[in-house]
Amino acid sequence: MVHENNVTELIFTGLFQDPEVQKLCFVLFLPVYLATLLGNGLIFVTVSISKTLHSPMYFFLSSLSLVEICYSSTVAPKFITDLLAKVKIISLKGCLTQIFFFHFFGVVEIILLVMMAYDRYVAICKPLHYMIIMSRQVCHMLVAGSWLGGLIHSIIQIIITIPLPFCGPNVIDHYFCDLHPLLKLACSDTFMERFIVMANSGLFSIISLFILVSSYAVILISLRKRSAEGRRKALSTCASHITVVILYFGPGAFIYMRPSSAFTEDKLVSVFYTVITPMLNPIVYTLRNTEMKNAIRMFWSQKDK
């Protein structure tokens, strides 16, 4: 049976149905998104112009902050403006575009987190060869590889989605376009597409998480031979990164590494990793990093002069 693709617009059900609750969410989430832009933008600019923050760790951190801005901006602006709209509409092409860039920047962030774990491994386990292994050229290649990996992942996701027929209904049970809720609207059997999506996202996340855990396991084993002060200093440099990894992988694993469901908590968890986590990352890194805080103070003092 041939299905005609006659759906050109999709309607979001949104996060909540109560208009008053939606207005309250608007008041809460708009400052969060602005803080995300300000915090990550400040880190990116500070690292770019600072004369002291030239190590690979800060290069990766500035790249991560730039990706956080892009990642959050694929969802948050539309989501926040829709909180004040009676009918939340997006075109089918706009929906596919949002899916592409959401997965693109999400995977770039995952790979960057893996690269940052590798950087900490080299810094702690091979300190004498650190600047040779993590040369500027290598760092640029690693960051470029993260963008390439995100591009390949997103192309796979979107290639399996574009050919699907959508003939109605056109109500998507979410507050933004993602693959699982969109696949539910297709007018054909999507078992294979769902399997590919879960394999593409789930296996990628599992492999990345395995590399991260392995890196820090090796680091912890190597620290057993060091003094208490040496262990404290080494762990302090890793604590921020570990916190960000947990904040990112926890909610993401809950959504993508299991079969899809229609539970409301899925949408609430999605809010955490699409809106909240991008704001928390700059806070985590700046509060625990003395060099970063000093560089930010110097940046503002120079700006005031």
Side-chain angles (χ1 to χ4, degrees), residues 53-67:
L53 305 179
H54 291 308
S55 69
M57 180 179 72
Y58 293 110
F59 175 71
F60 289 127
L61 179 57
S62 66
S63 299
L64 181 67
S65 295
L66 178 62
V67 172

Side-chain angles (χ1 to χ4, degrees), residues 159-180:
I159 280 178
I160 66 172
T161 309
I162 289 177
L164 293 175
F166 296 95
C167 51
N170 67 335
V171 178
I172 185 168
D173 187 20
H174 218 307
Y175 64 88
F176 74 101
C177 278
D178 204 359
L179 285 165
H180 288 315

Side-chain angles (χ1 to χ4, degrees), residues 15-16 20-30 83:
L15 188 60
F16 298 106
E20 295 303 317
V21 176
Q22 292 190 71
K23 291 179 182 177
L24 177 61
C25 289
F26 177 84
V27 173
L28 291 174
F29 291 136
L30 179 60
L83 289 170

Side-chain angles (χ1 to χ4, degrees), residues 252-268:
F254 179 83
I255 297 296
Y256 292 105
M257 294 172 62
R258 65 183 181 85
S260 61
S261 69
F263 297 143
T264 304
E265 52 263 33
D266 278 20
K267 290 191 278 188
L268 295 176

Side-chain angles (χ1 to χ4, degrees), residues 49-296:
I49 67 174
S50 174
K51 297 179 180 179
T52 58
L53 305 179
H54 291 308
S55 69
M57 180 179 72
Y58 293 110
F59 175 71
F60 289 127
L61 179 57
S62 66
S63 299
L64 181 67
S65 295
L66 178 62
V67 172
E68 289 281 26
I69 292 173
C70 299
Y71 173 72
S72 179
S73 297
T74 61
V75 174
K78 171 67 175 169
F79 165 55
I80 292 171
T81 54
D82 278 349
L83 289 170
L84 299 181
K86 291 183 179 180
V87 182
K88 304 163 180 53
I89 299 175
I90 189 171
S91 68
L92 180 58
K93 290 182 179 179
C95 182
L96 294 172
T97 301
Q98 188 177 61
I99 289 174
F100 177 85
F101 285 106
F102 175 71
H103 282 266
F104 172 53
F105 292 118
V107 169
V108 172
E109 180 168 353
I110 290 175
I111 299 176
L112 279 175
L113 290 173
V114 173
M115 296 300 102
M116 293 172 78
Y118 175 69
D119 171 70
R120 292 299 85 205
Y121 159 75
V122 176
I124 294 172
C125 299
K126 300 178 183 293
L128 299 179
H129 301 92
Y130 178 68
M131 295 311 298
I132 298 175
I133 297 174
M134 301 301 294
S135 64
R136 181 175 294 272
Q137 183 180 3
V138 169
C139 290
H140 281 91
M141 288 176 61
L142 291 175
V143 170
S146 69
W147 287 80
L148 179 61
L151 181 63
I152 293 172
H153 169 83
S154 290
I155 288 175
I156 294 173
Q157 302 288 63
I158 212 71
I159 280 178
I160 66 172
T161 309
I162 289 177
L164 293 175
F166 296 95
C167 51
N170 67 335
V171 178
I172 185 168
D173 187 20
H174 218 307
Y175 64 88
F176 74 101
C177 278
D178 204 359
L179 285 165
H180 288 315
L182 181 63
L183 290 176
K184 293 178 181 178
L185 302 183
C187 301
S188 62
D189 181 25
T190 59
F191 173 80
M192 185 55 65
E193 286 79 6
R194 291 173 187 272
F195 177 79
I196 295 173
V197 166
M198 193 163 67
N200 192 20
S201 299
L203 288 177
F204 184 84
S205 298
I206 291 173
I207 293 171
S208 300
L209 190 59
F210 174 77
I211 296 173
L212 285 164
V213 172
S214 300
S215 299
Y216 280 105
V218 173
I219 289 173
L220 291 174
I221 292 172
S222 68
L223 290 178
R224 293 167 58 186
K225 301 177 182 179
R226 299 194 181 185
S227 64
E229 180 64 18
R231 286 197 297 268
R232 187 191 66 79
K233 289 182 178 180
L235 289 174
S236 67
T237 64
C238 300
S240 299
H241 184 254
I242 293 174
T243 303
V244 170
V245 167
I246 293 172
L247 288 173
Y248 188 85
F249 273 90
F254 179 83
I255 297 296
Y256 292 105
M257 294 172 62
R258 65 183 181 85
S260 61
S261 69
F263 297 143
T264 304
E265 52 263 33
D266 278 20
K267 290 191 278 188
L268 295 176
V269 171
S270 297
V271 169
F272 187 81
Y273 72 79
T274 57
V275 182
I276 306 297
T277 300
M279 179 197 68
L280 294 177
N281 288 354
I283 296 176
V284 170
Y285 277 111
T286 54
L287 288 181
R288 296 187 59 87
N289 193 304
T290 303
E291 282 185 296
M292 179 62 69
K293 287 188 287 187
N294 291 336
I296 291 175

